[in-house]
Amino acid sequence: MNEQRVVVLGAAGFIGSHLVDRFLAEGWRVTGVDDFITGTRRNLEHLAREPRFDLLEQDICGSLDGIRGEVDAVLDFASPASPIDYLEHPFETLHVGSIGVENALRLAKRTGAIFLLSSTSEVYGDPLEHPQRESYWGNVNPIGPRAVYDEAKRFAEAITMAYRRYEKVPIRIARIFNTYGPRMRLDDGRVVPAFVAQALRGEPITVFGDGSQTRSFCYVDDNVEGMWRLLHSKYEEPVNIGNPHELSILEFAKAVQRLVGSDVPIVTKPLPQDDPRLRRPDITRAREVLGWEPKIGFDEGMGRTIAWFRQQV
Ligand code: UDP
């Protein structure tokens, strides 16, 4: 049998490590690459004796020429992705979204692999269209603190499309909306681990601003199914992958209190600069092109996530 092989860049990250598991379960060989800047060794520990998995510990901004042999797909999930992480690593974030993505595209070209980019709802910035469709060009502040992530990802999309147009590399672009689940880093600063950890520890829940800003949360297994289908589609334009179930951050804080069973107080802190006011994916395209939509409801996904965080706290 002709075994397929995928290279997962950012394999030790939250979504990257779940993708590694999925491709192994589907019978693929997997080469992971990570420099552990924000990824976690624990996310891959269970694969220590897996013969179809190997790991290269390196920054993808360095040469990827060490990856030899046949490759069928390159999945680029290598980037700091939480606001705290990319504000702490601004240059690494800019480089991995530009130099790193070009290296990854070169690897795909050299090996004849399909290239899949993990892009982000941040390309829409603080959106003036709601919900966000793929046709929307966004409202991004190019000089604000979030720009190190947003503009790197916009450049990543631009260079991915250029490799499609001029180098004939087959490409896929997933615009990933807020995703949550087991293996998120407890201290990555994002709202899901932050609120759950606060509720579990009996600390106040810190809502930034008045909590009226919205997010729409997708469980990681649904995301991974979307990535799997997108890779196997022939679709070479961006596709939103997210859950349209939209909540204000204050509603989310109350949901965490309810699901953890905790009566910790909710306190407010200043809203970070350029924090998007509204965010919800329009997933019409994913439904039509991939036959995909999220299957895991909010309470179920949060239940699984809280159970996992309980073991970490
Ligand atoms: N947020 C919050 N308290 C926290 C962390 C985040 O109120 O302790 C808010 C944040 O201001 C934003 C939303 O939750 O409006 C989602 O933030 P996150 O960092 O998870 O990711 P984003 O969607 O902004 O990239």
Side-chain angles (χ1 to χ4, degrees), residues 242-256:
N243 191 323
H245 178 73
E246 183 181 11
L247 291 172
S248 75
I249 292 303
L250 188 59
E251 286 170 330
F252 179 66
K254 290 177 179 161
V256 169

Side-chain angles (χ1 to χ4, degrees), residues 22 39 56 147 156 203 209 220 260 292 298:
R22 173 68 185 263
L56 290 175
E203 296 164 359
V220 64
V260 172
W292 175 88
F298 177 77

